[in-house]
Amino acid sequence: MTTAERIKIIEASCKQVGRGVFFSTLIIVASFLPVFLLEGQEGKLFGPLAWTKTFILAIDAILAVTLAPVLISFFLKGKLRTDDRNPLTNTLEKLYRPILNWCVTWRKTTIGINLIALLISIPLLLSLGSEFMPPLDEGTILFMPVTQPDVSNAQAKQLLQVQDKIIKSVPEVKNVLGKAGRANTATDNSPISMTETIILLKPKSEWRKGIKKEDIINELNAKLQIPGVVNGWTQPIINRINMLSTGIRTDVGLKVYGQNLDTIYSLSGQMKQALQGINGVKDLYVDPITGGKYLDIQVNKEAIGRYGLSVDDVNEVVESALGGMNLTTTVEGRQRFSVNARLAQDYRNNLDAIKRTLVQTPNNGPIPLSSVADIKISDGPAMVQSENALLRGTVLFNVRDRDLGSTVKEAQERLNTMVKSLPKGYFIEWSGQYENLIRAEHTLKLVLPIVLLIIFACLYFAFHSIREAFFSLISIPFALIGGAYMVYFFGVHLSVAVAVGFIALFGIAVETGIVMVIYLNDAMQQLIALKGNSKENITKEDLRIYVMNGAVKRLRPKLMTVCVALFGLVPVLWATGTGSDVMLPIVLPMIGGVLTSSTHILLVTPLIFLMVKEYELKKYGKLEVLEVKE
């Protein structure tokens, strides 16, 4: 073979598959469009993945039709062998041909099996639970108990020490660090009644045999049942993300809006009672609104009049003795510090001592503060929370041992009657991870139909035929079969990560279908070149033989397309460590979908193609064949 002949063969081959390869790469890029439109936490997590893959595939689409043919002309030299000289190809063809022949012979059975498998996968998907994101194991635990708002500093300190001692008694715990109240920062508004304890765990190799992280949390929760304390379990990073994005420190929060704090707190308590007993609802409590203790000093104007005092005189004593009066400012280098003065702790640590605080009068000497003021401890809001210019209360709970979507759905069903009878001006809003779940679902439902239209348009431009585009697009629902079975088998809930996996699967499934349709049309061109394009010359048996040859003789490139995707994904199934629990839901639908879509493309697509060509030959008297264009 001369160099010119070899170059001509390479050129013809590249023209045959170039358009399909180029547009299949663009289709994979288009399938990732929904990922770009994701917002919030999910957008930040999957955005880099989408951008990286898009840039790689965009360059790949260009190189596939420019650089690849040049490299082939350089390296594809020497003695070339046909496919029938390859032992691997021969073995694969011997296994594939009788199976395909059976499918072509038993047409209704083949199509029926595929449709039944597709119909079964639908209830499987519907039976799966839903969640926003698969829980990422951070390797640590954050214990966030809440006690009564009027707890004292001494009691909070003692409670923290007791809790840390109990936590440290569990063998899997390495270190414990707890704090009560807020840190030395203006961004942390935690009250003294809320404790945050970070629990560092030992390496899993040192854990007791058969124990899991969930078992450790359940064991700790059972040991830490302290009266007056409501336990809460989460992880440090996701807790901060939740608080920053939704203002809720648990997985789910039910926000109650209204005009009166007492009414809000009463409604929150009723809703908590209604939610108790729901499977999956853990760490349920009402964020305290009332219950805070305040030192209430009300000046008796008649009394201060008898002693010749004014209200400002009494307030000045209260400020200087209890609150601390700013006397002056000291300058030390570039730093300035205010100097305050107030009574020592022993003189202001109880109500009787405060009542005995002396007030100087003009004519009667010092008198106790209780002589000119009514001093008492009053109840009030521990913390006034507002949102959108409305007062707000919250019912908080985490979700464990069940999916987020069905748990919240059951909770909503229980509260439907109560919500309808709320007083005028009061309403509720679901927040936390559920709020993110609804937002992500809305985005995906809106964009996925648009993506399918874009994919169909790319297929049409690749083949210039609506029928051929449909052949490739029909592989998408059959790709869902394997994805649904894999997700169901591994017990993974539907989430944004699973949706991203299915989105990536769409492009891979269509890519394999394009390759099959190209080679089937090539077989039809060979048939027309040999016998002409007329029903007088072409029989059904001719169509059957050439469709079989088009499917079988190009088996190796089709399997290579499938295997490249599989070999890169399968290792994730055995991956361990941080991040693997997020990658697994992405990979599962891709692995299962590639297997079923490739099976559909190898066995069913040739059958449907054959049936369509028989119909064309019968109705039009000739075949409509895709012409390869530059």
Side-chain angles (χ1 to χ4, degrees), residues 446-515:
L446 182 66
V447 178
L448 278 177
I450 300 175
V451 171
L452 292 177
L453 289 176
I454 293 175
I455 292 176
F456 185 81
C458 291
L459 289 170
Y460 176 77
F461 287 120
F463 297 123
H464 293 292
S465 169
I466 295 178
R467 186 181 294 113
E468 308 296 351
F470 177 75
F471 283 149
S472 298
L473 191 66
I474 201 175
S475 61
I476 289 180
F478 290 95
L480 295 175
I481 297 175
Y485 278 94
M486 285 290 286
V487 172
Y488 182 83
F489 177 77
F490 277 83
V492 175
H493 298 310
L494 295 177
S495 63
V496 177
V498 175
V500 170
F502 276 112
I503 288 168
L505 171 63
F506 291 168
I508 298 175
V510 171
E511 179 185 29
T512 311
I514 287 177
V515 175

Side-chain angles (χ1 to χ4, degrees), residues 70-187:
V70 176
L71 294 178
I72 292 173
S73 65
F74 281 131
F75 295 103
L76 196 62
K77 296 180 180 179
K79 187 177 182 181
L80 303 179
R81 296 182 179 181
T82 57
D83 282 347
D84 55 11
R85 301 287 299 274
N86 189 308
L88 178 61
T89 302
N90 289 334
T91 303
L92 292 174
E93 288 184 2
K94 289 178 180 179
L95 294 174
Y96 175 51
R97 184 178 286 275
I99 298 175
L100 179 60
N101 184 61
W102 185 93
C103 293
V104 171
T105 303
W106 299 92
R107 301 181 179 186
K108 294 181 180 179
T109 304
T110 302
I111 295 175
I113 292 174
N114 273 264
L115 292 177
I116 290 172
L118 179 61
L119 293 176
I120 293 176
S121 66
I122 295 175
L124 285 182
L125 281 175
L126 296 177
S127 66
L128 294 173
S130 60
E131 60 187 1
F132 172 56
M133 293 287 292
L136 173 66
D137 184 8
E138 300 174 17
T140 56
I141 301 172
L142 181 61
F143 177 47
M144 295 185 65
V146 177
T147 185
Q148 298 301 317
D150 57 352
V151 65
S152 66
N153 289 355
Q155 289 174 322
K157 181 180 178 180
Q158 182 184 8
L159 181 63
L160 182 63
Q161 291 173 339
V162 171
Q163 289 171 342
D164 288 356
K165 186 175 181 180
I166 294 174
I167 293 171
K168 194 66 175 69
S169 66
V170 175
E172 285 74 22
V173 175
K174 181 180 180 181
N175 291 314
V176 181
L177 176 63
K179 78 170 183 66
R182 73 179 190 180
N184 188 22
T185 171
T187 61

